[in-house]
Amino acid sequence: MKRARVVSALGAALVLATLARAAQEARARVGEGALDNNAFLATSDTATQALATADRRALELAGKPLDETTRRAWLEVVDALHVALRDSRTGEMVAPLPQSGGGIARPAWPDVDGTADAKLDRRRDGVEVSVLRRLSLLPAAVRGLWRERFGDAAHAALAAAGTAVEALAQVERNFPGTRSAAHAALALCDHAFERGSPGAARQWLARAELHLRLAEEASSQVALTARRERLERDSALAQRSAEVWSQASSLVAVGSVPLDSPPYARVRSQPEPGLGFRPGLCFLDARRALVHTPGNGSDARPESIDQFVLVDLASARRTALLGPTQLLDALGVFVGPGAAPIDAPGWALAPASDGRGVVTTLGRRGLEHGNALVCIDLDPGATDEQVAARLRWAWYDGQPLSGPASASTAAGPDWGATEFQPGVCIVESTLYVTVREFLESSVSDEERGVGVDSSTECQTWIAALDLESGALLWRTKLGKGFEVQRSRGRFLGLRTPTASAQALAADAGHVFVGSNTGFGALVDGIDGRVDWALRNRRRGNERRTWTGARPPLDVAALALLWAPADSDRLYWLRPSADLDGRGLMLAAPRALDDSAILLGGSSDSAMVLARAGAGSALSVWEAHSGRTYFAPELGPSEQFGGEGLASATRAYFASTRGLDLVDRTRECFLLDYARLDVPAGVPTVRGGSLFARDAWVCAVSATTLWVFRAQP
C-alpha cells in the first residue's frame, strides 16, 4: 500500500480583518476565474424595485435612530419591504443587491464571498429570504415599527384564514416577524404533523421560531417547547440505528444478477462514468430492490426502451421482469426514443420508491413524442417472471395523463415543450422532480459562446407532486441557459441530445437543483420558496470534468458540495438561506484539471475519485488548507466504474475489478476489498455505480447487478 501523498496548498488566500471565520470566507473570493456563463436567473421586477427603494432609504438613514424626525422615512423602508412580499409570489427571486432606477444600494452587510456583486449578477435570493434578512439587520426599534405598522393587518388576516392551509401560508409569508406569522406557522406545523409529515412540521416550527425571535415575543415559548418535544418524541420512536453500510468494516459477496433476459442477453459497452444511458436502482423494502435499465432490444418499437428488473437481495436472484412502457400503451401514449447524450451527466435512470410503488421517468422528449413521469405500484408478493403492476398515476409531456390529478377540472401547468429529468426524490408524501422547458433561442451564437448547444434554451423548473395522487402541489421557475456540449465532428456539428440535469438532493426539508445549464438552486421543500440560486463557472466545451453525480447535502453538518458537470470547479456551499449576510461559499472553489467523480464530503473536505500521477485513486481535498492526500492507487489498466458512496466514516467505490471499502477517519485506510466476479456464461461489463441501504451494498453495471452484505 502506498503512503498517502500530500499536495502543496493552493495559492495564498486573501486575509480580511481579524477573525478566523472572516479569513475563511475571504478565501471564497479568490481562485475561481471568469464565469464564462450567460445563464439567466429568474427575477421579480416588482420585488426588485421595492427592495431597491428600501435599501436606498435605509442607507440614507444609516446610524440615525427612530424618532419623530426619522419616523416617516423609516416607515417608507418598512412599507417597501411589505410591498416586495405583497406584489410577488412564493418562489420568486431577487438579486442580493437589487438595482432599480437610482442605481445599486449599498448593503448593510459585507459581501464576504463576492456572490452578491451586482457586476457579476450571479446570485439570486428568494423574496422571502431577502425581506427576512433585511428585517433581522434593522435596528430593534425599526422592527418594532414594522410590527406596529402591520400587526393589526396580520392579526385580521390570521382570523380570516381560520384553518385554511393556503390562507395560513399567506399570513406566514406576507407578515414575517409578527406574532400572527408565528401563530400561522404553528398551525401549519400542527397540520403537517397530523397528516404524518414530521419533517414538514419541523420546518414550519423553525419558521415560527424565527418569527418569534424577530418579534421579540416570549409569551409563545411554551407553545414552541410543547411542539418541539412532541416532534422529538416522534423522531425518537421512528429513529433507526445507523445503517450498517455506513459503519461497516468488511464485505461479504452474496451473488450477481444478469440484467438482460437470457434469450436476448448481449454485451453492452460500459460508458465512462457520467456518460450515456446508465441503469439505476432503488430499494423496495428490506429484501427487495428494483433496477431500472435500458431495454434489451427484443422489441423493435423505439418507445420500448426501459425495463424493470425485480431482485431478491438475500438470494441475489431475479424474481420478475417488467416493461414499464407497456403500461402506457392502453392510454395511447408512446414516449420518445432514448437519445444518448455524449456529455456528462449523461442520462442516468434513477428510480425512487416509497416501498409500495416506483417513480421514474420513461423515455426522452423527441420530435413527435414527449417523455413520461410515472408512479407504478408493484405487487409485493410477486415471485413469478410476470410481475403484477398497475399505473398509480402518470404525467406525459408536462401534463397529467392518468390518475386522480388527470381527472381534475383544473387546468394543467402552462408548460411548453417539456422533459421530466431523471433523479427524482421522495420526501415523506411529496415527490420532487426537475422539469426542463425547451424555449426557442433569441440569443445569437456570439452571445452563447463557443461550444454551447445551438438548438434551444433550457428553462429549469422544480415541481412538487403529491406522491399518492400525482397532483401538482407547487412549481418554481429557477432560470434558463444553454448546455455546454463537445463537438461530434465537422459534419455533425454541435447539436447533440442534451444531457440531463443533476439528480435532486434533499435533506432536512431543503432540495438542491443542479440545472447543468449554468446554475444551481437550493429550494425550501414545503412551499417552493428559494433559499438561493447561484451561477457557476463553466468549463470549456472540449473538456470533460465532473460526472454530475447527485451532490452531497447534509444540512445538520452545514455541508453542500456541488460539482456541476458543466463546470471545472468544486463548490463548498451553505446548505441554508443567507439570513445573516455571511454569503454562500464556505471555502474557495477548487479547480479540477481532469475528469473526476465527487464521492462525498463535509464542510471542510471533499472525497474525489480522480487521476493521481500516472494512475487513479481516491483522494481527499481539504477545503481551507488546499492539502490533498490519497488512498492506494488502482492497478494498471484498472479504472473507476461509476458513482460511489460515502458516510461520515466510510467510503465505497467500484473499479473495473472490484469494490473497495475505506475508512475516512484514517486517511482512506483500506478496510476491505471484494472482487466483482463474472457470472458464468453471461457476457459481463464490470464496474458501475453503487447503491446502499441497511446492510446491502449493490454495484450496477450495464449488464450486471452485484449484491454485497456489509458487516460491522
Side-chain angles (χ1 to χ4, degrees):
M1 183 181 300
K2 297 184 178 180
R3 292 185 177 179
R5 293 169 293 176
V6 180
V7 176
S8 59
L10 293 175
L14 294 176
V15 179
L16 298 180
T18 57
L19 297 178
R21 174 62 181 168
Q24 290 178 356
E25 291 172 334
R27 289 193 183 96
R29 301 170 70 88
V30 300
E32 188 176 9
L35 296 183
D36 293 329
N37 186 335
N38 65 349
F40 171 79
L41 296 174
T43 306
S44 167
D45 293 334
T46 55
T48 295
Q49 183 176 358
L51 290 175
T53 299
D55 287 352
R56 283 198 302 272
R57 296 298 285 142
L59 182 62
E60 294 168 1
L61 292 166
K64 297 180 181 179
L66 175 63
D67 55 29
E68 290 301 320
T69 63
T70 60
R71 178 181 175 84
R72 182 172 179 179
W74 279 117
L75 280 173
E76 292 180 18
V77 173
V78 298
D79 283 346
L81 294 179
H82 180 64
V83 167
L85 291 169
R86 185 196 66 193
D87 294 349
S88 64
R89 293 175 296 180
T90 301
E92 291 189 322
M93 300 183 289
V94 293
L97 302 182
Q99 304 178 62
S100 179
I104 305 170
R106 293 184 179 275
W109 61 91
D111 179 20
V112 296
D113 60 2
T115 59
D117 188 342
K119 294 180 181 179
L120 290 177
D121 190 31
R122 69 178 304 185
R123 172 179 156 189
R124 294 289 182 272
D125 295 327
V127 175
E128 302 85 358
V129 169
S130 298
V131 172
L132 281 168
R133 180 170 60 237
R134 286 162 172 80
L135 279 177
S136 65
L137 296 173
L138 286 175
V142 179
R143 288 200 299 271
L145 183 64
W146 164 272
R147 295 191 295 273
E148 176 187 331
R149 185 73 159 174
F150 300 109
D152 290 343
H155 181 73
L158 180 64
T163 59
V165 171
E166 292 185 4
L168 288 169
Q170 284 300 306
V171 174
E172 185 275 332
R173 179 186 185 272
N174 291 340
F175 301 99
T178 65
R179 185 177 181 182
S180 296
H183 286 185
L186 289 174
L188 291 166
C189 169
D190 293 341
H191 177 266
F193 185 81
E194 290 166 1
R195 65 183 176 88
S197 299
R202 291 187 187 91
Q203 288 177 265
W204 285 117
L205 184 61
R207 291 189 186 182
E209 291 174 332
L210 176 59
H211 294 313
L212 290 174
R213 186 164 64 250
L214 291 176
E216 300 176 3
E217 175 67 51
S219 61
S220 298
Q221 289 300 319
V222 174
L224 283 176
T225 301
R227 287 169 174 82
R228 189 182 301 111
E229 291 176 349
R230 181 178 64 180
L231 286 169
E232 288 175 355
R233 287 195 302 270
D234 179 78
S235 177
L237 290 173
Q239 185 71 33
R240 296 188 304 173
S241 58
E243 296 192 10
V244 175
W245 75 267
S246 67
Q247 300 177 348
S249 298
S250 62
L251 294 166
V252 175
V254 177
S256 58
V257 182
L259 297 179
D260 276 325
S261 183
Y264 306 103
R266 56 185 169 80
V267 177
R268 288 195 184 100
S269 61
Q270 175 83 339
E272 292 184 38
L275 299 182
F277 274 102
R278 303 188 304 285
L281 178 145
C282 65
F283 294 93
L284 302 178
D285 51 42
R287 286 183 56 93
R288 298 184 307 153
L290 179 142
V291 180
H292 182 184
T293 183
N296 55 34
S298 61
D299 192 327
R301 294 182 305 164
E303 63 270 19
S304 295
I305 59 174
D306 302 87
Q307 66 180 14
F308 287 171
V309 182
L310 199 63
V311 176
D312 179 79
L313 295 170
S315 60
R317 179 176 59 89
R318 185 176 66 194
T319 60
L321 191 68
L322 169 70
T325 53
Q326 297 173 4
L327 297 175
L328 299 176
D329 290 350
L331 303 175
V333 168
F334 304 101
V335 296
I342 63 172
D343 285 283
W347 192 270
L349 302 175
S353 176
D354 63 350
R356 186 164 60 91
V358 174
V359 180
T360 191
T361 56
L362 296 177
R364 298 213 56 188
R365 179 170 185 83
L367 295 177
E368 299 180 357
H369 303 291
N371 82 329
L373 175 71
V374 298
C375 181
I376 298 174
D377 287 325
L378 304 174
D379 179 4
T383 56
D384 299 325
E385 280 296 313
Q386 188 63 43
V387 63
R390 67 175 180 85
L391 197 62
R392 188 189 304 180
W393 51 260
W395 282 64
Y396 175 76
D397 202 15
Q399 298 295 319
L401 173 70
S402 175
S406 65
S408 172
T409 57
D414 56 347
W415 282 318
T418 60
E419 184 177 56
F420 295 105
Q421 301 297 291
V424 302
C425 67
I426 296 173
V427 180
E428 296 180 335
S429 60
T430 303
L431 171 79
Y432 301 98
V433 60
T434 304
V435 182
R436 272 188 182 166
E437 183 178 12
F438 296 98
L439 309 174
E440 290 299 326
S441 173
S442 60
V443 181
S444 68
D445 291 338
E446 292 77 11
E447 290 176 306
R448 269 184 219 116
V450 177
V452 175
D453 174 32
S454 59
S455 54
T456 55
E457 286 181 288
C458 298
Q459 184 155 267
T460 300
W461 300 72
I462 179 174
L465 308 181
D466 178 72
L467 183 58
E468 185 62 31
S469 67
L472 179 67
L473 302 177
W474 53 260
R475 60 174 183 155
T476 296
K477 180 169 65 176
L478 300 173
K480 60 183 179 180
F482 296 92
E483 184 183 25
V484 175
Q485 290 191 342
R486 65 176 53 203
S487 172
R488 295 186 66 181
R490 60 180 297 188
F491 298 108
L492 295 178
L494 289 170
R495 185 169 182 172
T496 58
T498 57
S500 73
Q502 278 185 285
L504 293 174
D507 185 59
H510 297 269
V511 184
F512 181 77
V513 186
S515 71
N516 196 35
T517 56
F519 62 89
L522 188 68
V523 178
D524 193 312
I526 55 177
D527 56 9
R529 64 180 63 175
V530 178
D531 292 323
W532 50 259
L534 185 72
R535 294 194 299 144
N536 57 276
R537 172 185 160 92
R538 308 202 79 180
R539 61 172 170 82
N541 68 302
E542 295 300 329
R543 293 190 61 193
R544 182 167 291 165
T545 54
W546 298 107
T547 60
R550 192 187 305 267
L553 171 60
D554 189 336
V555 173
L558 303 178
L560 167 56
L561 279 70
W562 183 32
D566 62 337
S567 179
D568 57 2
R569 294 295 188 271
L570 170 64
Y571 297 91
W572 281 269
L573 299 173
R574 185 176 186 167
S576 60
D578 181 18
L579 294 176
D580 53 13
R582 304 196 68 163
L584 303 183
M585 293 192 184
L586 304 178
R590 177 137 173 189
L592 175 69
D593 297 325
D594 207 338
S595 59
I597 303 169
L598 177 62
L599 193 66
S602 63
S603 60
D604 56 9
S605 67
M607 305 191 71
V608 178
L609 304 176
R611 290 192 179 275
S616 300
L618 169 65
S619 60
V620 176
W621 296 1
E622 293 189 348
H624 302 299
S625 70
R627 177 176 179 256
T628 301
Y629 58 87
F630 297 87
E633 289 184 11
L634 299 182
S637 74
E638 189 177 7
Q639 299 176 347
F640 292 116
E643 314 296 350
L645 291 169
S647 69
T649 61
R650 298 291 185 266
Y652 297 75
F653 60 88
S655 71
T656 49
R657 295 182 182 177
L659 175 63
D660 289 65
L661 165 61
V662 301
D663 187 342
R664 291 182 59 180
T665 65
R666 292 190 283 171
E667 296 196 344
C668 300
F669 178 79
L670 181 64
L671 293 172
D672 201 4
Y673 171 83
R675 287 184 54 83
L676 298 178
D677 292 326
V678 179
V682 178
T684 301
V685 175
R686 288 192 178 99
S689 295
L690 302 184
F691 305 84
R693 176 176 169 179
D694 296 331
W696 302 113
V697 178
C698 299
V700 182
S701 78
T703 62
T704 308
L705 163 67
W706 287 270
V707 181
F708 298 89
R709 190 190 300 273
Q711 295 185 330

